[in-house]
Amino acid sequence: MNEVTGEFDMIARLFAPLTDGRPGTFDLRNDAATFVASPGHETVITLDTLCEGIHFFGDDDPAGVARKLLRVNLSDLAAMGARPFGYLLSLARGKSQDDPWLEAFAAGLKEDQKLFGVTLLGGDTTRTEKGLVLSLTALGEVPMGKALPRSGAQPGDSVVVSGTLGDAALGLCILQGKNFGLDAANRAHLVDRYHLPQPRLQLGHRLVGVAHACLDVSDGLLGDLEHIAQASEVTIQLDASALPLSAAARSVLNADAQLLSNVVGGGDDYELVFTVPASARPELARIEGESGIPLTVIGDVLPGPARVEVLDSERQVLQFERRGWTHF
Amino acid sequence: MNEVTGEFDMIARLFAPLTDGRPGTFDLRNDAATFVASPGHETVITLDTLCEGIHFFGDDDPAGVARKLLRVNLSDLAAMGARPFGYLLSLARGKSQDDPWLEAFAAGLKEDQKLFGVTLLGGDTTRTEKGLVLSLTALGEVPMGKALPRSGAQPGDSVVVSGTLGDAALGLCILQGKNFGLDAANRAHLVDRYHLPQPRLQLGHRLVGVAHACLDVSDGLLGDLEHIAQASEVTIQLDASALPLSAAARSVLNADAQLLSNVVGGGDDYELVFTVPASARPELARIEGESGIPLTVIGDVLPGPARVEVLDSERQVLQFERRGWTHF
């Protein structure tokens, strides 16, 4: 791990223990870390950056920020069908991140490391002019050549999604002041879904050799599915009435059907959406039974131009203004 | 590569070409990248972060910032004896980085990619509240178990450094307004050394199986060597008169001997400093001849407490206030 003089103690105290003594991490005292892939496997690597004031707020719970940072990266590995094993951290501190903040942040990492079986391999700490900037590089592995692509969707495939959609986007609305007439428990459910993604790692791993194409819903269902449509050169047709909703989201949409745009366009759900051939349906039922994660068929892959459509109950194409999340 | 909607075009135009079509990078259109290590090799990974206003200035040449970012990371791989092959980039833009800035930045990466034989594998683009924050994760490989450690220095070893020391620190002084009575060519030499490190990759690779311990001089010679002293539990004794200086630095020190503190304490030289047993001296001479990089014995490894000392010509221990670079 690289570091600035004066932060050695902080790194030794807070971050070196997060290596769990893994060989090749050298207690974060080396210039770099080393690792060896399992025989017959390739390494999968991804990087996500979260910025204060953009992706989270300075007064958010530091442990929660740490866990979200790790989980959004693990979700990318899940989308590839990879098993995670480690990560590197870039922590560029703003003025608000004092020692107690860092302690809570490291505690959040420690908690999730145990949960997901990963260890810290290295990183860098520094300072910014303003605002915390966190970047995490996550590493996993997958049997050689078996990483789930975005380009494999074929006409005749079904489109399947895990869990429920739209919760995180509605949770963000609540954080921004909306109430939706929900009780406290339902509001908390939606806000939790925004704050603490559940990377679908076991599901992703089980989909290796089963799904034709896969990704995680991070920017919004329609925008994300467009990546599969484009990479696979297919049309994807979704059935609006099939989109799986939590009880809280169902209640919100019953009151205001327009909010369906949050379900198809809102990001941060971190569910997996994937396509499978009809022949894989029995296997899918087994996976659903074993994992306990609801899997819902929400549409079909068709021959045609690269496009994603959402049909209503009369099979009319719905129009949405918001197809994905943007900073601009 | 992850990205925000609205930056797809920028990524496709500027960054996707930097993958050189490498398999496993999926034109930056996937959630993650994949790679396979060469047989008998382990992967070496490192991460360094550079922040506007801390490590560089907003009006610095964008291509130069890109090249420095890549090179400081490659220097960490060199210190491990690794051959680099790829990298991931986190680009968190401030307000000053417009499209022409990004184009020049990408051009700088492209130039150095060719020079060092690496390709972009993935990354993330986002926005900060203020100031550009760049983080780069560099990947290389080294024969299994052969990475150069910091912990292998043994009493009887010589301490050797590549190139010259102190240039970058003196170059920074010039950028901050010092003149040192140097002519333009000498001033330019020192400033270039600050702006554009030369990662000693071929040297590092040749030191595998030869050096007992190695690192790159990034924070300052004494502070960095303390890492070897501590990890190896040895005393390191340096001979002040042996420290290799460029003609420009020699001229500066002749005028003001106090500036020796910049040579032993200043960072950013990115030379390799390593320890070798006496038996390796003939091999070292061969490496020097083949590489064309001057290698200078600057001291000895002794039994004793973990400590780094600098002796003057009368073998008295010199005292320096500045032992390494700090943000605080």
Side-chain angles (χ1 to χ4, degrees):
Chain A
M1 193 156 188
N2 301 290
E3 69 293 285
V4 291
T5 312
E7 299 207 336
F8 292 143
D9 291 346
M10 186 262 285
I11 290 170
R13 188 167 56 89
L14 297 182
F15 293 106
L18 298 181
T19 65
D20 292 340
R22 183 190 163 100
T25 62
F26 310 101
D27 289 331
L28 304 184
R29 293 169 68 155
N30 227 330
D31 287 296
T34 61
F35 63 86
V36 182
S38 304
H41 285 67
E42 58 190 344
T43 305
V44 183
I45 188 165
T46 188
L47 178 162
D48 261 317
T49 301
L50 300 183
C51 302
E52 181 177 341
I54 311 287
H55 303 94
F56 62 90
F57 300 103
D59 56 0
D60 281 354
D61 167 42
V65 172
R67 300 175 77 189
K68 183 160 188 171
L69 174 69
L70 184 56
R71 288 170 179 224
V72 298
N73 277 284
L74 295 180
S75 181
D76 281 327
L77 296 183
M80 303 284 286
R83 285 187 195 275
F85 63 84
Y87 67 97
L88 288 87
L89 173 68
S90 166
L91 193 159
R93 296 162 74 171
K95 292 203 167 40
S96 335
Q97 287 77 41
D98 55 10
D99 283 0
W101 194 99
L102 289 170
E103 282 164 22
F105 180 84
L109 288 177
K110 185 173 181 181
E111 185 175 349
D112 265 10
Q113 283 196 186
K114 277 190 201 156
L115 211 52
F116 297 110
V118 296
T119 57
L120 181 65
L121 303 183
D124 195 6
T125 64
T126 182
R127 298 255 174 189
T128 65
E129 287 188 297
K130 184 183 177 196
L132 174 67
V133 176
L134 295 162
S135 186
L136 193 141
T137 301
L139 291 154
E141 58 181 28
V142 68
M144 198 82 75
K146 296 291 187 190
L148 296 170
R150 292 180 168 192
S151 56
Q154 293 171 24
D157 282 2
S158 298
V159 181
V160 183
V161 72
S162 63
T164 57
L165 291 168
D167 293 331
L170 295 171
L172 178 59
C173 291
I174 289 171
L175 288 173
Q176 290 167 339
K178 289 249 169 56
N179 180 297
F180 295 133
L182 291 173
D183 62 23
N186 275 319
R187 287 201 305 275
H189 169 78
L190 297 178
V191 168
D192 279 357
R193 287 274 286 164
Y194 172 74
H195 274 144
L196 201 59
Q198 302 295 334
R200 299 300 195 185
L201 285 160
Q202 289 177 6
L203 174 61
H205 191 67
R206 284 288 274 113
L207 291 175
V208 169
V210 178
H212 281 162
C214 183
L215 49 69
D216 66 325
V217 181
S218 54
D219 292 333
L221 180 68
L222 296 193
D224 288 329
L225 274 176
E226 271 170 14
H227 297 311
I228 288 183
Q230 283 167 14
S232 307
E233 299 177 5
V234 294
T235 295
I236 290 177
Q237 223 170 48
L238 302 182
D239 173 2
S241 66
L243 299 174
L245 301 177
S246 66
R250 172 73 62 200
S251 162
V252 171
L253 260 69
N254 283 345
D256 180 357
Q258 288 296 317
L259 289 169
L260 181 63
S261 65
N262 289 70
V263 175
V264 297
D268 293 320
D269 282 319
Y270 296 97
E271 296 294 348
L272 296 186
V273 62
F274 51 95
T275 81
V276 288
S279 60
R281 294 291 281 272
E283 176 65 9
L284 211 59
R286 263 196 300 278
I287 294 173
E288 185 174 31
E290 288 167 18
S291 69
I293 301 168
L295 301 178
T296 308
V297 175
I298 59 171
D300 297 294
V301 179
L302 306 171
R307 182 166 73 195
V308 183
E309 300 170 341
V310 185
L311 305 185
D312 66 11
S313 53
E314 290 163 356
R315 297 196 65 76
Q316 298 299 303
V317 175
L318 293 167
Q319 297 297 331
F320 298 96
E321 280 190 17
R322 184 181 173 194
R323 291 178 80 82
W325 190 66
T326 173
H327 286 298
F328 297 95
Chain B
M1 193 155 187
N2 300 292
E3 70 294 284
V4 291
T5 312
E7 298 207 337
F8 291 143
D9 291 346
M10 186 262 285
I11 290 170
R13 188 167 57 88
L14 296 182
F15 294 106
L18 298 181
T19 65
D20 291 340
R22 184 190 163 100
T25 62
F26 310 102
D27 289 331
L28 304 183
R29 292 168 70 155
N30 227 329
D31 287 296
T34 62
F35 63 86
V36 182
S38 304
H41 285 67
E42 58 191 344
T43 305
V44 183
I45 187 166
T46 187
L47 178 162
D48 261 317
T49 302
L50 300 183
C51 303
E52 181 176 341
I54 311 287
H55 303 94
F56 63 89
F57 300 102
D59 56 0
D60 281 354
D61 166 42
V65 172
R67 300 175 77 189
K68 183 160 188 171
L69 174 69
L70 183 57
R71 288 170 180 226
V72 298
N73 277 283
L74 295 180
S75 181
D76 281 327
L77 296 183
M80 303 284 286
R83 283 187 196 276
F85 63 85
Y87 67 97
L88 289 86
L89 173 68
S90 165
L91 193 159
R93 296 162 74 171
K95 293 204 167 39
S96 334
Q97 286 77 43
D98 53 11
D99 282 359
W101 194 99
L102 289 170
E103 282 164 22
F105 179 85
L109 288 177
K110 184 173 182 181
E111 186 174 349
D112 266 9
Q113 283 196 187
K114 276 190 201 156
L115 211 52
F116 298 109
V118 296
T119 56
L120 180 65
L121 303 182
D124 195 7
T125 63
T126 181
R127 298 255 175 188
T128 65
E129 287 187 297
K130 184 183 175 196
L132 175 67
V133 177
L134 295 162
S135 187
L136 193 140
T137 301
L139 291 154
E141 58 181 29
V142 69
M144 198 82 75
K146 297 290 186 190
L148 295 171
R150 292 180 169 193
S151 57
Q154 292 171 24
D157 281 2
S158 298
V159 181
V160 182
V161 72
S162 63
T164 57
L165 291 168
D167 294 332
L170 295 172
L172 179 58
C173 291
I174 289 170
L175 288 173
Q176 290 167 340
K178 288 252 170 54
N179 180 296
F180 296 132
L182 292 173
D183 63 23
N186 275 319
R187 286 202 305 275
H189 169 77
L190 298 178
V191 168
D192 279 357
R193 286 274 286 164
Y194 173 75
H195 274 144
L196 201 60
Q198 302 294 335
R200 299 300 196 185
L201 286 159
Q202 288 176 5
L203 174 61
H205 190 67
R206 283 288 275 113
L207 291 175
V208 169
V210 178
H212 281 161
C214 184
L215 49 67
D216 67 326
V217 181
S218 54
D219 291 334
L221 180 67
L222 296 193
D224 288 328
L225 274 176
E226 270 169 16
H227 296 312
I228 287 184
Q230 284 167 13
S232 306
E233 299 177 4
V234 294
T235 295
I236 290 176
Q237 223 169 48
L238 302 182
D239 174 1
S241 65
L243 300 174
L245 300 176
S246 66
R250 173 74 62 198
S251 162
V252 171
L253 260 68
N254 283 346
D256 181 356
Q258 289 295 318
L259 290 170
L260 181 63
S261 65
N262 288 71
V263 175
V264 298
D268 293 320
D269 282 320
Y270 296 98
E271 296 293 348
L272 295 187
V273 61
F274 51 96
T275 82
V276 288
S279 60
R281 295 291 282 272
E283 176 65 9
L284 212 58
R286 263 195 301 278
I287 294 172
E288 185 174 30
E290 289 166 18
S291 70
I293 302 169
L295 301 179
T296 309
V297 175
I298 59 170
D300 298 294
V301 179
L302 306 171
R307 181 166 73 196
V308 182
E309 299 170 343
V310 185
L311 305 186
D312 66 12
S313 53
E314 291 163 355
R315 298 196 65 76
Q316 298 299 305
V317 174
L318 293 168
Q319 297 297 332
F320 298 95
E321 279 190 17
R322 184 181 173 193
R323 291 177 81 83
W325 190 66
T326 171
H327 287 298
F328 296 94

